[in-house]
Amino acid sequence: MADAAVQDRILLPSEPKASLLKSRGMVGFLFMLPALAFLLIFLTYPLGLGVWLGFTDTRIGRDGIWIGLENYQLLWEDSLFWLSVFNTLLYTITASILKFALGLWLALILNEHLPFKSFFRAVLLLPWVVPTVLSAIAFWWIYDSQFSVISWGLIELGIIDTPINFLGDMENARASVIAANVWRGIPFVAITLLAGLQTISPSLHEAATLDGATGWQRFRHITLPMLSPLIAVVMTFSVLFTFTDFQLIYVLTRGGPLNATHLMATLSFQRAIPGGQLGEGAAIAVAMIPFLLAAILFSYFGLQRRKWQQGGAD
Amino acid sequence: MDVVTNAVPRGTAAPDESVGMSYLDRLPRRVVVVYLPLAVFTFVLLFPFYWMTVTALKPNHEMTDFNNYSPFWPSSPTLQHIYYLLFETSYPGWLWNTMLVALGSTILSLAASVFAAYAIERVRFAGSRWTGLAIFLAYLVPPSILFIPLAVMTFKFGIYDSKLALIFTYPTFLIPFCTWLLMGYFRSIPYELEECALVDGASRWQILTKIMLPLSVPGLISAGIFAFTLSWNEFIYALTFIQSSENKTVPVGVLTELVRGDVYEWGALMAGALLGSLPVVLLYSFFVDYYVASMTGAVKE
């Protein structure tokens, strides 16, 4: 974002034309009005309303009164809330690392000279295009405790004797939802990183090869540094969307077994909508904000540092 | 597969001479390093779709009987699940709702975003930089922290449990996305074109409709199909704001109405998932390049 702004200042030397554009501020305001009105009413206001609701005891069908930090005090002593925080962190960190590693690997493969390359690229993006809920339903069937095709395959191969209880066992359920999330996330990471890889000039690799660099050295010292600003952005998106994931868990486990897969988002939904405790649900949602801010700031400063290392602006 | 197994022993010897550029690699090494992993990735990423399709076409007795029937192929394919879905459930209505909601919110968001992106990128009013940054941050606000206050609001506005609730709330994530994308697109259009028109006395409105919009049709298509897909796939708002069966969207309807008690009708569920994915997959297959452009464009700025 910052570099876009810097670019603009350089690319637009046409400030003298300013006199031609009468009341630039008014024109700009009028053009911004529809989007601004929408975002203020349906984004900024609800964000504030959510914070306020977190300080009230609002229930479905009854306006709440201000109760200060009571919701947060309750959450602080609520072991289920802390379990959901732990689950969310585990889910986000494991899934993000896997998505990044596998996505980068797939991007590197797709960057090779391949027959039917554009076909592969198009087809491999499908998991990301299809509605999450609908592909999660397919996983639900694949993870069935009796008729799972994975269990069947492993039994046929003689690796296991009894079907795997994918979603009924705490550890298995965690691994299963992470696997489904990674399945959906790999294409996004791979295709966006592939776009970045294609901008790296092959002459850099050729020069390094002539100097005797090995494949790993070229990857470590050319590909990775050139790609790192893009990696930071892609992974920020990935982390944010994984952290706030709701759909996959809601379809596959609804937080079970024994709340082992309850994420903050699903707990917030469960307390607020079926449970009717809108205030408490909102408090859980608000508790997610510091984590999100931390992720954004972390990647923002990570990005800045890399740019400085490369001799970019600042 | 035998090509692969042959290649393994030779491939393990190959890394010694792996210094050259990738096109200089010998075939066995490429099989191990490129084609084999690619095959595994393709298999894993596409298998759920295959499994979905096969299950949707199997009659009920074949579905759970892997011993007498091959699990990977329906021995007597049937359309009974699709028939059941289309004629005995509210599924066609859900499809129609999803279509209306996705089209409505996409058109609304595109219109608002075109003006906003033009204002931020070209009118360059005081504070336009900060507005651009705010738009980007707005895109990072996840629906999971907005659905509770939005549910309260839709209820107060009296649009709870109607399609309008979704058409008005989806732009919260569509407008920031489309605006950000179109800003990048407008930036790539030469400034000189606009200056000429300004000198000739064209108004801002004329410049936008006569010059910028015709030139940015690819950008509009990218933003449009991406916004359509995002609204088609949306779940948490649709789950929270819609109660009555006749107003549900496909993802919510399939999950809440086709799952009854303990008896899961897997055939119908899979058929529902398949049919529900079809519109976005078709749209995607016609506009792959636009789609990829919008996805990477949103990230690359």
Side-chain angles (χ1 to χ4, degrees), chain A residues 232-244:
Chain A
V233 180
V234 171
M235 289 321 290
T236 312
F237 276 95
S238 176
V239 165
L240 287 187
F241 292 130
T242 314
F243 192 88
T244 57

Side-chain angles (χ1 to χ4, degrees), chain A residues 75-76 78-92 170 174 242-245 249 254-255 258-271 280-281 283-285 287-288 291:
Chain A
L75 287 180
W76 189 265
D78 185 349
S79 61
L80 180 53
F81 170 73
W82 287 111
L83 180 65
S84 80
V85 174
F86 169 77
N87 289 337
T88 313
L89 289 174
L90 180 77
Y91 181 74
T92 310
M170 286 180 78
R174 282 181 177 147
T242 314
F243 192 88
T244 57
D245 195 11
I249 305 290
R254 305 234 168 151
L258 299 172
N259 301 314
T261 58
H262 238 318
L263 302 186
M264 290 169 86
T266 51
L267 188 67
S268 163
F269 178 86
Q270 198 199 41
R271 295 264 163 99
E280 201 180 332
I284 299 175
M288 290 161 74
F291 291 100

Side-chain angles (χ1 to χ4, degrees), chain B:
Chain B
M1 276 317 264
D2 52 344
V3 181
V4 172
T5 44
N6 278 341
V8 174
R10 273 186 284 158
T12 46
D16 298 313
E17 48 187 70
S18 65
V19 188
M21 299 307 294
S22 54
Y23 53 82
L24 300 176
D25 286 342
R26 286 189 329 180
L27 188 64
R29 185 181 140 75
R30 274 182 71 76
V31 169
V32 175
V33 175
V34 177
Y35 297 125
L36 186 61
L38 183 65
V40 173
F41 269 117
T42 313
F43 175 76
V44 171
L45 289 178
L46 296 186
F47 180 77
F49 298 113
Y50 173 73
W51 195 236
M52 210 193 266
T53 317
V54 169
T55 310
L57 296 176
K58 278 181 189 172
N60 276 327
H61 63 276
E62 269 184 45
M63 213 172 291
T64 52
D65 188 352
F66 293 159
N67 297 324
N68 297 324
Y69 303 97
S70 161
F72 294 108
W73 199 249
S75 23
S76 45
T78 168
L79 292 178
Q80 71 179 67
H81 302 303
I82 295 171
Y83 181 87
Y84 167 78
L85 205 63
L86 291 182
F87 297 103
E88 285 162 44
T89 65
S90 324
Y91 195 81
W94 302 334
L95 271 177
W96 178 241
N97 292 339
T98 322
M99 190 65 85
L100 278 183
V101 168
L103 277 179
S105 49
T106 302
I107 292 170
L108 212 61
S109 315
L110 262 188
S113 306
V114 164
F115 294 125
Y118 181 73
I120 294 170
E121 201 51 48
R122 286 302 164 88
V123 181
R124 305 211 67 77
F125 54 93
S128 57
R129 265 183 62 194
W130 294 110
T131 317
L133 185 64
I135 292 276
F136 180 77
L137 289 179
Y139 183 56
L140 297 179
V141 177
S144 342
I145 63 176
L146 286 181
F147 73 94
I148 296 172
L150 278 175
V152 173
M153 283 173 65
T154 49
F155 204 78
K156 293 258 160 77
F157 287 173
I159 53 174
Y160 185 78
D161 198 15
S162 75
K163 291 188 254 313
L164 271 185
L166 302 182
I167 294 178
F168 282 140
T169 46
Y170 286 1
T172 53
F173 54 88
L174 298 182
I175 290 181
F177 176 80
C178 293
T179 309
W180 190 251
L181 200 74
L182 288 171
M183 277 166 63
Y185 207 86
F186 286 166
R187 206 176 300 144
S188 70
I189 295 175
Y191 210 66
E192 287 73 19
L193 285 173
E194 206 174 334
E195 280 174 4
C196 294
L198 271 176
V199 171
D200 289 344
S203 68
R204 282 289 180 186
W205 176 259
Q206 285 171 321
I207 293 174
L208 179 63
T209 52
K210 299 248 165 72
I211 298 177
M212 298 298 271
L213 285 187
L215 283 175
S216 49
V217 167
L220 290 173
I221 296 179
S222 290
I225 59 167
F226 210 88
F228 182 87
T229 313
L230 283 181
S231 349
W232 189 278
N233 298 359
E234 207 287 329
F235 181 66
I236 190 167
Y237 290 165
L239 178 71
T240 314
F241 306 158
I242 303 291
Q243 288 287 310
S244 47
S245 178
E246 68 267 19
N247 281 331
K248 282 180 176 165
T249 61
V250 170
V252 177
V254 168
L255 192 67
T256 55
E257 308 255 326
L258 293 185
V259 182
R260 291 202 194 86
D262 290 337
V263 186
Y264 300 138
E265 308 201 27
W266 287 112
L269 270 175
M270 291 300 124
L274 198 66
L275 284 187
S277 312
L278 216 53
V280 279
V281 170
L282 282 179
L283 190 69
Y284 166 72
S285 61
F286 285 123
F287 295 101
V288 178
D289 292 328
Y290 291 99
Y291 198 94
V292 173
S294 58
M295 196 174 84
T296 52
V299 170
K300 263 161 107 183
E301 295 305 324

Side-chain angles (χ1 to χ4, degrees), chain A residues 55-278:
Chain A
F55 292 114
T56 69
D57 62 349
T58 310
R59 292 169 184 228
I60 288 180
R62 174 169 78 75
D63 285 340
I65 51 157
W66 180 270
I67 53 166
L69 288 171
E70 204 171 295
N71 283 329
Y72 294 95
Q73 277 165 354
L74 282 175
L75 287 180
W76 189 265
E77 290 150 18
D78 185 349
S79 61
L80 180 53
F81 170 73
W82 287 111
L83 180 65
S84 80
V85 174
F86 169 77
N87 289 337
T88 313
L89 289 174
L90 180 77
Y91 181 74
T92 310
I93 294 170
T94 322
S96 298
I97 291 175
L98 286 173
K99 270 186 271 195
F100 169 66
L102 294 171
L104 181 60
W105 189 15
L106 182 57
L108 288 169
I109 292 173
L110 287 175
N111 199 34
E112 298 280 327
H113 295 270
L114 289 175
F116 311 114
K117 188 167 163 175
S118 52
F119 170 78
F120 274 112
R121 199 186 61 176
V123 163
L124 292 182
L125 195 55
L126 274 180
W128 205 70
V129 175
V130 166
T132 312
V133 170
L134 302 183
S135 59
I137 289 175
F139 269 96
W140 196 18
W141 174 224
I142 289 174
Y143 287 152
D144 190 89
S145 56
Q146 280 176 292
F147 304 112
S148 162
V149 64
I150 302 177
S151 296
W152 178 83
L154 293 177
I155 290 173
E156 287 292 301
L157 290 173
I159 297 172
I160 54 170
D161 297 326
T162 49
I164 302 171
N165 191 5
F166 284 102
L167 299 176
D169 172 271
M170 286 180 78
E171 301 306 317
N172 285 352
R174 282 181 177 147
S176 303
V177 292
I178 288 173
N181 181 284
V182 170
W183 175 83
R184 185 172 187 273
I186 287 175
F188 170 73
V189 177
I191 301 296
T192 39
L193 289 186
L194 176 64
L197 281 176
Q198 283 166 345
T199 63
I200 299 176
S201 157
S203 58
L204 285 174
H205 282 283
E206 279 159 22
T209 310
L210 288 178
D211 288 343
T214 63
W216 168 251
Q217 284 174 324
R218 281 187 286 125
F219 172 75
R220 174 70 189 77
H221 295 288
I222 298 176
T223 312
L224 220 46
M226 297 286 283
L227 212 54
S228 62
L230 187 60
I231 289 175
V233 180
V234 171
M235 289 321 290
T236 312
F237 276 95
S238 176
V239 165
L240 287 187
F241 292 130
T242 314
F243 192 88
T244 57
D245 195 11
F246 170 81
Q247 320 188 7
L248 198 62
I249 305 290
Y250 189 79
V251 176
L252 286 178
T253 64
R254 305 234 168 151
L258 299 172
N259 301 314
T261 58
H262 238 318
L263 302 186
M264 290 169 86
T266 51
L267 188 67
S268 163
F269 178 86
Q270 198 199 41
R271 295 264 163 99
I273 306 299
Q277 306 278 1
L278 289 173

